[in-house]
Each structure stands twice: as C-alpha cells, then as structure tokens.
Amino acid sequence: MGYVKQRFREKADALAADIKDILSNHGDKKLGDVTIRQAYTGMRGVPGLVTETSLLDAEEGIRFRGYSIPELRELLPKAEGGIEPLPEGLFYLMLVGELPSKEDVDHLSTVLARRSNVPKHVFDVLDKMPASTHPMTLFCQGVMALQTESKFAKAYKEGISKKDHWEYVYEDTLSLIARLPQIAAYIYRKKYHNGEGIEPDAELDWAGNFAHMLGFDDPSFYALMRLYMTIHADHEGGNVSAHTTHLVGSALSDPYLSFTAGMTGLAGPLHGLANQEVIAWIEDMCEELNTQEPSKDQISQYIKDTLAAGKVVPGYGHAVLRKTDPRFTAQMEFAKTHCPDAPMVQNVWKIYEVAPDILGATGKIKNPWPNVDAHSGALLTHYGLVEKEFYTVLFGVSRALGVLASLCWDRALGLSIERPKSLTTKRIKEIVAEEEVAS
Ligand code: HAX
C-alpha cells in the first residue's frame, strides 16, 4: 500500500471510532430545527451533512482542515522557485488532515503523472460531438467515457466487502484526478486550437503541466494555475457540486459517475458557470456602452439595469458567505502583483467599488459582496485564455480535489445512502393547522 494511502487509512480508522462514539452517546442530540422556509428555499443553513475536508464561515470564508487561504498560500509546499501553493498539497491536506511536507507533495505529483494516461476511446467520444458543444458538456462526457476504467465498479461487481469500498474509491480518485487535466486540455485544444494537442511534461507538477498542455508556458501563468486549482478545490459539503458528488456516491455509484454528476451541477449559471457569465456580462456592458473602460457611473447604471431586467449580477452574492469571498481577495492580490493595469482586471475592480452598495440597497440580496467567480475570468483573459466558455472546466478540474477527497472519506467512514424526508405542501398545511389547534 502506498504511504499516502496508509496514512489516510489510519486517519479514517481513528475518525470512524470517534463517530461511532458520537453516535452512540449523542446521536439523538439536535443540530438545529428545520423551518418551513428552509424546506422551500433549498435547505439553506440546515446542518444535515458531514464533510471533513473544509468548513465555511459566513464572515471569514473557507478553511481547509482549519487553514484559511492566506495561511495555505504561506504554508503549503511550492514548486521550485514557485510562489503559489501546489494543489497536490491541498489534496493531501484534505485527504490526510495534516499539512504535507515537500516530499509528500512531490510524491503525489509523481503518482499523478504516472497515472495520467487517458484511453483513446475517451477522445473518440469527444471527437464525435458537434463542434458547438459546450466545453462543460464535453468535460462531463469525457469523464463518463472514462468510467470504463473504474476499479470500484469492477470490484463491486465481483463482490467486495463494504469495509473495502474505500480502497477502490481511493484508487479511482487518484486516477481520475491524474487524468482530468489531459481531458480538459484535449477539449481546449480541440475546440480553440484546431485540435493541435501538446504533449504532457512529466517533469512538471499537476497544475503546471495542465497549464503547459493548455498551451501557456509563462511562469506566472503556472503560478496562476496553481493558485486557481488550490482556491477552487472545495467549499464545504453543501454547495451543488460537492453535495451532488456526495449524494450520487452515497448510492455507491463509482467516483467517475459521482464526479460527473457533480460537474453537471457545476455547469449551472448560479454555480460554477458564473465565471463564464461574469466575463460575458462585462463584455456585453462594454459593447453596449461602446467603451472598454466604462466609468463607475456607467457601471452603476448597468448594474441597476441588470437588476431591473430581472437578471442576476454574476459573481456577486452567496448562499452562505456574508463578506467578500477570500478566494476573490486572493485573486485580487495576485492581480495586484502580476497585472494591475490589465483592462479586464480594472473593470472587475471598478465593479467591486460600486456593486456592493447597489446590491445591498435592494434590501433582498443577503450578500452584496463578490464571490470567487467575480475575479477569475479577468486574470485568465489577461494571460490570453480568453475563451470564457472554457472557464468552468478549469473550475471543475480543481473541484475534483475536494469532492473526491470527500468521497474517499465517505466510503472510509461507511456513510449511508442519502435519503432526506420530503413533504407535500398539503402535509405542511396540515402540520401548520395541527400546531395552531394545539396552541
Ligand atoms: N444579482 C441579483 N439578484 C441576486 C443576486 C445577484 N448577484 N444574488 C442574490 N440575488 C437575489 C436572489 O435571486 C433572490 O431573489 P428572489 O427573492 O427574487 O428569488 C434574492 O436576491 C435573495 O437571494 P439570496 O438569499 O441573497 O441568495 P441565494 O442564496 O438565494 O443565492 C446565489 C445565492 C449565489 C445563487 C445568488 O447570490 C446569485 O444568483 N448570484 C449570482 C450568480 C453567481 O455569482 N453565482 C456563483 C456563486 C458562487 C459559486 O457557487 N461559485 O461557483
């Protein structure tokens, strides 16, 4: 057994014992009461899931195993001469629960490079699709085609014990994470560069090699890709992509199927597709105003017009956060160092100066502050990755790190199939009436 796998197993055994203890001594204690409003509004705030890899605080933002993004930028190992964390290190942290050494991260980079080969039939499937297919659809199809390789699905069919599920899910997780950059880069090169593929560079780390295969070899783009892959990886368990991966995995669908399900959710405009929508919205604004450098007054008016048209201002708002997303701030800091004068970056910063007041003044938008998606496209555009329809695929490659680390934990802890109770409106009316009579 590889040593990362061994460490994961030891941690999982210890936590499984803790959970057994919690359930037998405190299993009937309440974590919260569900209101009728919560039942109708997407279960907002209902504490009904357990996810070990990260925890989101409304004011402070995400912490991965207790570490904030600024802390991780400092503490996680970096590539030789690099300035941003290696995302393999974050994966290790989420999986094992401890900060990795540089050797641990280098080991993971090597393991991932060794497993990165994608069978030809996956590319054949992608080649058969119409040229107009959205990159996120292709990404989901690529992962689905790769499902033929699932070790978990094969082992389950042959009949394995429940206590061994985690091991096959772990193997699928590493292989899938290893292969995703290949699939994503193939989609990008096929769609936007006449199918001229770029061979992987086995000397590079996972994110650096991904940048290289996309066709970008600027060291600061490598740095951006490492930062991007780190900050998008996880956002606790209730968001659509994480929750869906967990939910589908709870039926013992293998990691390829579960991750594809998560990615079909990430492809929604209120979730991951918002990174594409932000750039589309800014481009439409610039076109309508006939300038690449709209003034703050012009931007304010455009935001008001967007709201008046019954549309959302993409990149703003969040179901949990109530402050500027630290993932936005990390990207802003990166831009201040690398490209403060880039026109799209300037536009993003001007929007940030005016949007929160306008959104806040509506009185109904609970979080008027920017989220991760408000900034990412501007940085990519600066480096020449201008094909905005591809942005959510980048998000998806990163998100694999978090949701698949969580899936390993789900199976290691033997978590149950997910099956919350639903009610009809008729039954809710009856409950309300019964309570009124009782009081
Ligand atoms: N622009 C306009 N209206 C907004 C808004 C925005 N940016 N954010 C929230 N609202 C509206 C909601 O649509 C809702 O309106 P109705 O009452 O008419 O239905 C109202 O304000 C209250 O919503 P909320 O409670 O503040 O927010 P929700 O938890 O319901 O939704 C969303 C959270 C992220 C979906 C929402 O803020 C939104 O649509 N934002 C724009 C899209 C976006 O940036 N999505 C990415 C989020 C981060 C992420 O997941 N990245 O992957």
Side-chain angles (χ1 to χ4, degrees), residues 341-416:
D341 301 321
M344 197 55 102
V345 166
Q346 283 291 324
N347 283 335
V348 164
W349 293 354
K350 271 188 262 173
I351 297 166
Y352 183 33
E353 282 183 55
V354 298
D357 280 349
I358 301 168
L359 299 180
T362 63
K364 75 166 184 176
I365 299 173
K366 296 190 192 68
N367 178 40
W369 301 102
N371 59 56
V372 64
D373 300 311
H375 211 308
S376 53
L379 283 166
L380 296 165
T381 306
H382 165 70
Y383 286 100
L385 208 167
V386 294
E387 298 87 357
K388 56 184 176 294
E389 285 198 339
F390 187 72
Y391 293 170
T392 313
V393 175
L394 295 176
F395 194 157
V397 173
S398 167
R399 189 44 63 102
L401 300 176
V403 300
L404 292 175
S406 273
L407 206 60
C408 289
W409 277 100
D410 292 350
R411 297 291 73 79
L413 299 174
L415 298 189
S416 314

Side-chain angles (χ1 to χ4, degrees), residues 97-136:
E98 289 168 7
L99 281 174
S101 65
K102 179 74 167 76
E103 290 68 40
D104 293 330
V105 173
D106 288 345
H107 170 73
L108 265 180
S109 298
T110 310
V111 169
L112 293 177
R114 218 174 37 228
R115 291 184 183 220
S116 62
N117 188 45
V118 175
K120 182 176 169 297
H121 73 266
V122 173
F123 302 125
D124 291 344
V125 166
L126 298 176
D127 287 342
K128 287 277 185 293
M129 293 305 294
S132 60
T133 312
H134 192 281
M136 266 312 268

Side-chain angles (χ1 to χ4, degrees), residues 146-158:
L146 199 54
Q147 191 267 347
T148 52
E149 309 308 293
S150 172
K151 290 201 162 47
F152 177 82
K154 281 194 194 81
Y156 193 86
K157 195 168 165 219
E158 282 159 17

